[in-house]
Amino acid sequence: MNAHALALLLLMAPPPQPASPPTLKSILLSQLKTTHDEQDWFVPASKSVVGLTAEQAAWKEGNNTNHSISQLVQHLVFWNKQQLATWKGEKKPAFSGKNDETFGNNLDKAAWENAVRQLDEVLTGMEKWIEAADEASLLKQADAIAHVSAHNAYHTGQILYIRKQQGSWDPEKGVK
């Protein structure tokens, strides 16, 4: 078949069907999943902590007053639980009003493993809530959901930066 005939066939073919347009729900869910466990433009939270020991998670460079990975994970767990409880209309975990207290202390092996598990559980819970939410509930919480994703991405970036500083990050996992 010559080029002219091929061009004519292509012009006569029905146009490809566009994918369904994104919805508020699909956009918010995608944002949350890519900050939870689906690697897309950046490393998600669940992958940022894979393989870390409690000792590595507690590490701080020198006399650094910044937070450790362990403290950042506890902070994420706390605030994500607060938000999920709000969305569900449940009682929120106790909060003194002092954000510094949400970072907690460094954890032993069992508590570290529990914190990592809780982070995955609360983010999974958020995704399930979004999937099941009706349009009115989703609209009411859309701004908070978007902020949760941004907050999670921000602190995940800090976790990766700390891992790179301490030499515990494998650059083949997404951040060179």
Side-chain angles (χ1 to χ4, degrees), residues 4-125:
H4 180 73
L6 181 59
L8 188 56
L9 281 175
L10 289 173
L11 286 173
M12 294 173 49
Q17 296 299 314
S20 57
T23 64
L24 178 62
K25 182 180 282 195
S26 71
I27 292 167
L28 293 172
L29 192 57
S30 176
Q31 285 181 336
L32 190 59
K33 286 183 176 190
T34 59
T35 61
H36 173 203
D37 61 3
E38 288 183 8
Q39 192 156 332
D40 193 12
W41 289 23
F42 49 83
V43 176
S46 64
K47 292 183 181 184
S48 74
V49 295
V50 168
L52 274 178
T53 66
E55 293 78 21
Q56 289 170 318
W59 181 87
K60 290 183 180 185
E61 184 177 34
N63 292 329
N64 192 334
T65 59
N66 290 328
H67 298 108
S68 68
I69 293 171
S70 175
Q71 291 172 310
L72 292 168
V73 168
Q74 291 173 82
H75 174 76
L76 287 172
V77 168
F78 177 84
W79 282 114
N80 284 305
K81 283 184 175 183
Q82 287 277 331
Q83 283 299 309
L84 184 55
T86 297
W87 301 346
K88 289 180 166 185
E90 298 174 351
K91 183 179 177 189
K92 296 184 219 176
F95 178 49
S96 69
K98 297 178 183 174
N99 189 50
D100 286 347
E101 294 176 6
T102 68
F103 290 92
N105 297 310
N106 289 317
L107 304 171
D108 64 19
K109 182 180 189 282
W112 166 245
E113 290 170 357
N114 185 47
V116 170
R117 182 185 50 76
Q118 285 183 53
L119 180 61
D120 183 61
E121 287 175 359
V122 71
L123 294 175
T124 298

Side-chain angles (χ1 to χ4, degrees), residues 105-170:
N105 297 310
N106 289 317
L107 304 171
D108 64 19
K109 182 180 189 282
W112 166 245
E113 290 170 357
N114 185 47
V116 170
R117 182 185 50 76
Q118 285 183 53
L119 180 61
D120 183 61
E121 287 175 359
V122 71
L123 294 175
T124 298
M126 290 177 140
E127 291 166 8
K128 287 180 180 178
W129 184 88
I130 293 168
E131 288 168 350
D134 59 45
E135 190 69 19
S137 299
L138 197 59
L139 283 170
K140 184 177 177 184
Q141 297 301 332
D143 188 59
I145 296 166
H147 280 84
V148 162
S149 294
H151 183 247
N152 291 345
Y154 170 76
H155 287 302
T156 299
Q158 289 179 305
I159 290 168
L160 292 167
Y161 180 77
I162 294 167
R163 288 195 72 171
K164 288 173 88 174
Q165 282 184 307
Q166 72 180 197
S168 68
W169 180 249
D170 176 359

